[in-house]
């Protein structure tokens, strides 16, 4: 039997038994994974606590490895996702897509252009390529649509509002909008929050929270 095969068998045996008391996982005994790593399992909270001192160093090392695997894993697409019309991954260059104030959808330039060509050919009113609502002609109309998206708890709208407040110098308000957007899963808002915590802008400086949001 090879060394690699023997190690694999031993690893499997470890995962089938409680790392503290050695009891095997059978019908009525269910083992639970360690909260931080994937190396060991326990039959009870008591066993986990009793084994903590022996497992602590190895657990900490493995937890760091797992964290790095997630952090540096190459994503299948960017945080912007796909264009909701053509389903092609959205480019990182913000000049190659636009955000509609009516529905907060990010539309790639290609789909925006195709929509403009369709409208020109059929002599239609200029409308959003996604939801087909008329495009506002004045800043006031655009702002009204924008506020509706914020009232609807739209994360993209709240993130953009946060940017507006930041540029005005109202950093506390920007922090609040970024927080609301981040809670709803907006990755760009999480990045902005990380920067605010990193430099203590509009909020007390906190390196730990900065790292948390930047990694998210």
């Amino acid at each position: 039997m090879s060394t690699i095969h023997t190690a694999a068998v031993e690893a499997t045996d470890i995962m089938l038994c409680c790392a503290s008391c050695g009891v095997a996982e059978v019908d009525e005994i269910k083992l639970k994974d360690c909260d931080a790593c994937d190396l060991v399992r326990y039959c009870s909270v008591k066993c986990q606590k009793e084994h903590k001192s022996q497992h602590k160093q190895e657990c900490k090392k493995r937890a760091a490895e797992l964290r790095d695997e997630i952090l540096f894993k190459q994503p299948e697409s960017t945080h912007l996702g796909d264009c909701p019309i053509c389903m092609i991954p959205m480019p990182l260059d913000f000049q190659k897509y636009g955000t509609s104030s009516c529905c907060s959808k990010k539309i790639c330039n290609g789909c925006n252009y195709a929509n403009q060509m369709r409208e020109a050919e059929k002599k239609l009113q200029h409308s959003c390529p996604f939801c087909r609502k008329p495009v506002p002609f004045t800043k006031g109309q655009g702002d009204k649509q924008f506020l509706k998206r914020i009232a609807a708890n739209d994360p993209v709208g709240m993130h953009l509002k946060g940017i507006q407040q930041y540029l005005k110098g109202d950093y506390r308000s920007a922090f609040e909008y970024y927080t609301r957007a981040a809670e709803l899963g907006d990755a760009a808002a999480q990045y902005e929050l990380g920067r605010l915590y990193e430099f203590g802008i509009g909020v007390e400086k906190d390196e730990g929270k900065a790292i948390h949001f930047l990694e998210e």
Side-chain angles (χ1 to χ4, degrees):
M1 186 180 292
S2 68
T3 303
I4 295 177
H5 181 70
T6 302
V9 171
E10 290 176 350
T12 302
D13 290 342
I14 290 173
M15 295 304 289
L16 292 176
C17 300
C18 174
S20 180
C21 68
V23 66
E25 184 174 45
V26 290
D27 297 333
E28 70 280 2
I29 299 176
K30 302 298 180 183
L31 301 181
K32 180 185 176 183
D33 293 338
C34 171
D35 295 330
C37 74
D38 59 359
L39 296 177
V40 295
R41 303 175 76 196
Y42 299 102
C43 64
S44 66
V45 175
K46 179 184 177 183
C47 277
Q48 186 171 4
K49 289 181 178 179
E50 290 177 349
H51 192 248
K52 183 177 180 179
S53 59
Q54 300 176 50
H55 178 55
K56 185 176 180 180
Q57 187 174 351
E58 186 180 28
C59 179
K60 187 176 181 180
K61 179 182 177 182
R62 180 55 181 159
E65 292 174 350
L66 291 172
R67 173 178 166 276
D68 286 346
E69 285 177 12
I70 296 172
L71 187 60
F72 296 106
K73 182 180 180 181
Q74 186 67 29
E76 295 181 0
S77 62
T78 72
H79 66 282
L80 296 172
D82 301 334
C83 172
I85 297 176
C86 66
M87 304 309 292
I88 293 176
M90 198 69 71
L92 289 174
D93 186 349
F94 69 89
Q95 294 182 331
K96 294 183 178 180
Y97 66 86
T99 303
S100 300
S101 61
C102 47
C103 57
S104 292
K105 295 296 184 183
K106 291 180 172 64
I107 311 297
C108 73
N109 285 356
C111 288
N112 272 317
Y113 177 74
N115 184 56
Q116 291 171 15
M117 293 294 290
R118 179 186 65 86
E119 292 170 343
E121 182 181 343
K122 297 183 179 181
K123 297 182 180 180
L124 300 173
Q125 180 182 5
H126 188 30
S127 62
C128 170
F130 184 79
C131 68
R132 301 303 190 196
K133 287 184 179 179
V135 172
F137 289 100
T138 66
K139 184 178 183 301
Q141 292 174 336
D143 290 343
K144 189 175 180 179
Q145 287 186 339
F146 183 50
L147 291 174
K148 283 183 178 180
R149 298 312 307 164
I150 295 173
N153 276 337
D154 182 88
V156 175
M158 284 188 281
H159 171 226
L160 293 176
K161 182 64 175 178
I163 293 175
Q164 286 185 354
Q165 296 304 100
Y166 184 91
L167 294 175
K168 289 179 182 178
D170 189 349
Y171 303 127
R172 186 61 198 178
S173 179
F175 170 77
E176 291 173 356
Y177 278 109
Y178 287 153
T179 299
R180 289 168 62 189
E183 288 173 348
L184 292 170
D186 189 276
Q190 291 174 341
Y191 171 78
E192 300 291 358
L193 273 178
R195 298 287 287 174
L196 293 184
Y197 275 115
E198 181 181 4
F199 297 104
I201 302 174
V203 67
E204 186 177 349
K205 191 173 182 179
D206 190 318
E207 185 177 346
K209 289 183 178 179
I211 292 173
H212 167 75
F213 284 109
L214 290 173
E215 287 183 351
E216 285 294 310

